[in-house]
Amino acid sequence: MGIKTDYKKIKVSVEGTVGWVSLNQPDRLNALQTDLMLEMAQALKELNREPDINIVVLKGEGRAFCSGGDIKSMLESNGEEHFQRMMEAASDVSMTLYSMDKLTISAIHGAAAGLGYSLALATDIIVAEEGSKLAMNFIGIGLVPDGGGHYFLKERIGASKAMQLIWAGDVMNGHEAQAVGLIDHVVAEGKVMAEVKALVQSYQARPLKAMLETKSILRRGQWRELKKVLEMEQEAQWRMRQTEDHQEGIRAFVGKRKPNFKGQ
């Protein structure tokens, strides 16, 4: 097995039949930058090609799973080329996670927000600590979900509830997210990795090949829809980046104040 592990912004390790992928920018709460997502896509595709691996776990180093897209990076570069490159990288990660022929698990502690939450929703099973802060909070800066957020929310809770949740942009804890069907397991603070390891052990004692065949049957026919949603999100996000409300949302975020949106 020759899995690459010398990445700069993520950590990759293999333990038996399990691949572990960690977002590794703890000083920035694992905010997502283009380079980090390019590394993620490469690592996930490599793990997917490895026949001896049947489970992949996604987690975050430090105090959070992932705080979402890097706002600082957004402020520093508003050019369309940079934007399109980042969106394509995000779409690649989401599509890869969703279509992997492995069982995928997200282990969430701290924040899982925006694009970071979309990536967690792309996995098969989500485990979160009760004090986690889960939010599809793009609306707060005048944007729409990306990384397949629309598709994954619709798949889990239906279109109407997904729309209301996106519009609200509320932050939920682990129990609240589980109650509406957005995560699968909620655990006490500091216990997420223990729970994930117990789940891994449990799944390894089951007929995983049959389980993954069921995943393929249910998911393969949906790949085209997810791809279309990712394309629509990319187009919509660029349009929203040009709006007055988005610019106000960014200024308010940086200034730590409530935005004054005008619907423009």
Side-chain angles (χ1 to χ4, degrees), residues 12 19 22 45 47 119 153 193 200 220-221 234 242 256:
V12 177
S22 302
K45 289 174 183 177
L47 289 168
L119 298 186
L153 288 174
M193 291 313 300
V200 166
R220 190 176 293 272
Q234 185 166 341
Q242 316 312 309
K256 297 181 179 180

Side-chain angles (χ1 to χ4, degrees), residues 213-237:
E213 284 295 331
T214 288
K215 174 180 176 176
S216 177
I217 290 167
L218 292 174
R219 289 274 175 87
R220 190 176 293 272
Q222 305 304 313
W223 293 354
R224 184 176 297 178
E225 181 181 350
L226 174 56
K227 186 175 185 296
K228 182 61 177 178
V229 168
L230 289 165
E231 291 170 353
M232 290 192 294
E233 287 178 343
Q234 185 166 341
E235 293 168 359
Q237 203 72 297

Side-chain angles (χ1 to χ4, degrees), residues 18 135 144 186:
V18 183
V144 299
V186 59

Side-chain angles (χ1 to χ4, degrees), residues 245-257:
D245 279 346
H246 172 61
Q247 300 305 319
E248 165 61 11
I250 290 292
R251 288 192 296 268
F253 179 87
V254 173
K256 297 181 179 180
R257 61 173 174 81

Side-chain angles (χ1 to χ4, degrees), residues 37-145:
M37 289 187 290
L38 290 171
E39 288 189 355
M40 278 187 69
Q42 180 181 346
L44 291 169
K45 289 174 183 177
E46 191 169 62
L47 289 168
N48 200 41
R49 288 192 294 266
E50 178 51 58
D52 293 335
I53 293 174
N54 51 35
I55 299 175
V56 173
V57 180
L58 181 63
K59 63 188 186 75
E61 297 293 321
R63 296 183 293 116
F65 175 77
C66 178
S67 60
D70 193 326
I71 298 293
K72 183 178 179 181
S73 177
M74 291 171 63
L75 288 170
E76 291 174 349
S77 178
N78 287 315
E80 184 171 3
E81 183 179 352
H82 175 271
F83 168 82
Q84 300 295 352
R85 185 166 176 262
M86 179 171 180
M87 290 293 291
E88 287 165 6
S91 295
D92 194 16
V93 173
S94 291
M95 180 60 79
T96 300
L97 274 171
Y98 187 75
S99 62
M100 291 181 81
D101 59 2
K102 318 293 182 185
L103 190 151
T104 57
I105 303 172
S106 288
I108 296 177
H109 71 291
L115 178 56
Y117 194 16
S118 293
L119 298 186
L121 289 166
T123 62
D124 304 324
I125 300 157
I126 303 175
V127 183
E129 293 181 354
E130 58 187 3
S132 298
K133 296 179 179 180
L134 304 115
M136 195 61 71
N137 55 351
F138 294 87
I139 199 73
I141 54 172
L143 294 178
V144 299

